[in-house]
Amino acid sequence: MTSKIITAGYVVIGDEILSGRTKDKNIGFLASYLTDIGIDLSEVRVVPDLEEKIVEAVNALRAEYTYVFTSGGIGPTHDDITADAIAKAFGVSIDLDPRAYKLLEDHYGAENFTPARQRMARIPDGADLIENKVSIAPGFRIENVHVMAGVPAIMQAMVDAIAPTLETSQKMLSVTIEAALPESRIAQDLGEIQKNYPETSIGSYPQSKDGVFSTQVVVRSRSNDVLEQASEAVRAAVEAAKTKFL
Amino acid sequence: MTSKIITAGYVVIGDEILSGRTKDKNIGFLASYLTDIGIDLSEVRVVPDLEEKIVEAVNALRAEYTYVFTSGGIGPTHDDITADAIAKAFGVSIDLDPRAYKLLEDHYGAENFTPARQRMARIPDGADLIENKVSIAPGFRIENVHVMAGVPAIMQAMVDAIAPTLETSQKMLSVTIEAALPESRIAQDLGEIQKNYPETSIGSYPQSKDGVFSTQVVVRSRSNDVLEQASEAVRAAVEAAKTKFL
């Protein structure tokens, strides 16, 4: 654990998310996972299966954040272009990797290790492999960029494999206060509490269920003491609001 | 309808998505909606409640795509900074908008129209309002950027309100072929079919259910004839693969 803030960017690669055909499940998973281990997910980009868009997104995020994660586009088909795009982003060569080649050849058997399947052994020069316990074909890490599969079960197994290698910071703690009123009735008070507790981040999240509006107020801080004080102030404001204007 | 391709970028604004606290439902909704009406969603960015990040994302996407949509951060609380960030992105002033002010004052009643609620009437100079049938507080459009609420029910109502004003292109048609085999067994053939039908986009989407891998092949084209021919070639390849190597 380090005293500096560790940040991450995430690039989701795939036409199927942008067309609406596949509903993404990986963003929410990675966001919760990183929060739990003390890494701040700071930005996500969803890009199509186009080399220039992948290169642009990866290069922008790897310059800005401690870590970058990508998912999608590392399978055996013609639309799986992520490994080549990452090699291009780093300006390194890419070829069949002997370690990945052996893993896959052992898995499929030499007679069934077709050229399409060999594509999954293409790894940029200088990268480390990321283990895939689900379906063998590995991901890879090059510098601060971690390249993973898009299928949620495989992506999640790869995140588990990567996690022990990551530097983390003091975990962001949070308290959620449920308020059975629309957020506009507590907005003024929340703004004042935020000013009084600058080391916290106070978020207000309106919800509507069967036409009734309620609000979740989430107080976040890396200090437990400050978190408790600010949360108590929010609870008091919510109670007070119930007897004030509508 | 126009013969050119109409594209869109989408900026999801909110710390709660990046922390994992809220699982996004808006990306999949907007992606499907735009596909259905003939607009290609080309890129999505999820950014935190930080003015500079909102400005950067909106300015990058509005220069690149026909339309930009944003959701989140237009409520009454201190963490709702989207309207001000959009004004900054366009270099225009922002103040209480008489049209929005009247809508909200009528809704809450003059005595309950608090300063926090008045915040929701702050609209950048030159913007048109977007109707909010669910909870009144409007979104707005400035040039090609449409600013919407983040609560899914409100966001969806706003998309319905905006849709009739959008230019659309020939709809992207698609056919999905279910293949009860792992994608590596059809990968080679799919690559060849893609080469033979360059006006299509052929995507291969592996799935794993209870440890069994299957594949959905999605063929997309704006021409129904080409779509049918390429789909038939994919169906034949899937049938042939069943009797080939494992």
Side-chain angles (χ1 to χ4, degrees):
Chain A
M1 189 154 57
T2 166
S3 60
K4 69 177 176 192
I5 306 297
I6 305 292
T7 58
Y10 178 25
V11 184
V12 178
I13 298 162
D15 291 351
E16 71 278 20
I17 305 292
L18 293 168
S19 74
R21 188 201 149 275
T22 301
K23 304 305 177 202
D24 167 75
K25 290 175 182 163
N26 292 337
I27 296 173
F29 172 81
L30 189 66
S32 293
Y33 197 107
L34 293 178
T35 297
D36 282 348
I37 63 174
I39 294 175
D40 287 4
L41 180 61
S42 303
E43 184 172 347
V44 179
R45 297 193 187 183
V46 186
V47 299
D49 299 315
L50 288 175
E51 185 173 86
E52 63 177 278
K53 298 303 298 179
I54 300 170
V55 170
E56 179 191 319
V58 168
N59 278 342
L61 299 191
R62 76 187 174 97
E64 188 154 1
Y65 304 111
T66 316
Y67 297 117
V68 171
F69 301 88
T70 80
S71 64
I74 63 166
T77 56
H78 63 279
D79 57 337
D80 290 308
I81 62 167
T82 298
D84 285 80
I86 298 290
K88 188 155 194 179
F90 280 88
V92 301
S93 62
I94 178 166
D95 208 338
L96 295 179
D97 178 280
R99 301 161 298 176
Y101 193 93
K102 180 161 190 337
L103 281 172
L104 288 159
E105 190 179 34
D106 289 352
H107 176 61
Y108 288 115
E111 70 280 17
N112 290 323
F113 194 33
T114 57
R117 284 170 172 165
Q118 289 172 26
R119 251 178 89 80
M120 294 190 283
R122 287 175 65 77
I123 304 284
D125 194 33
D128 295 326
L129 302 189
I130 296 171
E131 185 182 12
N132 171 358
K133 285 189 176 167
V134 178
S135 60
I136 309 306
F140 59 86
R141 178 189 66 77
I142 178 165
E143 294 185 19
N144 62 338
V145 177
H146 300 78
V147 175
M148 310 185 291
V151 175
I154 305 174
M155 182 269 196
Q156 292 172 20
M158 287 184 174
V159 174
D160 280 334
I162 295 163
T165 72
L166 301 174
E167 202 176 11
T168 58
S169 39
Q170 175 90 38
K171 203 172 136 174
M172 183 68 88
L173 306 168
S174 77
V175 166
T176 299
I177 294 128
E178 304 279 348
L181 28 80
E183 64 171 356
S184 62
R185 287 179 61 191
I186 45 173
Q188 192 83 15
D189 289 338
L190 292 183
E192 279 159 27
I193 297 168
Q194 176 69 83
K195 267 186 213 139
N196 293 341
Y197 296 94
E199 311 101 311
T200 67
S201 150
I202 301 178
S204 170
Y205 304 112
Q207 296 179 305
S208 113
K209 200 172 178 182
D210 305 327
V212 177
F213 280 85
S214 62
T215 307
Q216 288 190 320
V217 182
V218 178
V219 185
R220 305 174 79 221
S221 175
R222 295 185 204 275
S223 153
N224 200 46
D225 284 354
V226 175
L227 184 69
E228 276 310 312
Q229 290 165 33
S231 301
E232 200 43 51
V234 170
R235 281 188 205 100
V238 169
E239 281 311 305
K242 288 180 182 167
T243 62
K244 281 199 291 191
F245 66 92
L246 291 177
Chain B
M1 191 154 58
T2 165
S3 60
K4 69 176 179 197
I5 307 297
I6 305 292
T7 58
Y10 178 25
V11 184
V12 178
I13 298 161
D15 292 348
E16 70 278 17
I17 306 293
L18 293 168
S19 74
R21 190 200 146 274
T22 300
K23 305 305 178 204
D24 167 74
K25 291 175 182 162
N26 293 336
I27 295 173
F29 172 81
L30 189 66
S32 294
Y33 197 107
L34 293 178
T35 298
D36 282 347
I37 63 175
I39 294 176
D40 287 5
L41 181 60
S42 304
E43 183 172 347
V44 179
R45 297 193 186 182
V46 186
V47 299
D49 299 314
L50 288 175
E51 185 173 86
E52 62 177 279
K53 298 304 297 180
I54 300 170
V55 169
E56 179 192 318
V58 167
N59 278 343
L61 300 190
R62 76 188 175 97
E64 190 154 359
Y65 304 112
T66 317
Y67 297 116
V68 172
F69 300 88
T70 81
S71 64
I74 63 165
T77 55
H78 63 278
D79 56 338
D80 291 308
I81 62 167
T82 298
D84 285 80
I86 298 290
K88 190 155 193 177
F90 280 90
V92 301
S93 62
I94 179 167
D95 207 339
L96 294 179
D97 178 281
R99 300 161 299 175
Y101 193 93
K102 179 159 189 342
L103 282 173
L104 288 159
E105 189 178 35
D106 288 352
H107 176 60
Y108 287 115
E111 68 281 16
N112 290 323
F113 194 33
T114 57
R117 286 170 171 166
Q118 289 173 24
R119 252 177 88 81
M120 295 190 283
R122 287 174 66 78
I123 305 284
D125 195 34
D128 294 327
L129 302 189
I130 296 172
E131 187 182 11
N132 170 358
K133 285 189 178 168
V134 178
S135 60
I136 308 307
F140 59 87
R141 178 189 68 76
I142 178 165
E143 295 184 19
N144 63 337
V145 177
H146 299 78
V147 175
M148 309 184 292
V151 175
I154 305 175
M155 183 269 198
Q156 292 172 19
M158 287 183 175
V159 173
D160 280 334
I162 295 163
T165 71
L166 301 174
E167 203 177 11
T168 58
S169 38
Q170 176 90 38
K171 203 173 137 173
M172 183 67 89
L173 306 169
S174 77
V175 166
T176 299
I177 294 128
E178 304 280 348
L181 28 79
E183 65 172 354
S184 62
R185 288 179 62 191
I186 43 172
Q188 193 83 15
D189 289 337
L190 292 183
E192 279 159 28
I193 298 168
Q194 175 69 83
K195 267 185 213 138
N196 294 341
Y197 295 95
E199 312 100 311
T200 66
S201 149
I202 302 179
S204 169
Y205 304 112
Q207 295 180 306
S208 117
K209 201 173 176 181
D210 304 327
V212 177
F213 280 86
S214 62
T215 308
Q216 288 190 323
V217 181
V218 179
V219 185
R220 305 173 79 220
S221 175
R222 295 185 203 275
S223 153
N224 200 45
D225 284 355
V226 175
L227 183 71
E228 275 310 312
Q229 291 165 36
S231 303
E232 201 43 51
V234 171
R235 280 188 206 98
V238 169
E239 281 311 305
K242 288 180 181 165
T243 62
K244 282 198 294 192
F245 66 90
L246 292 176

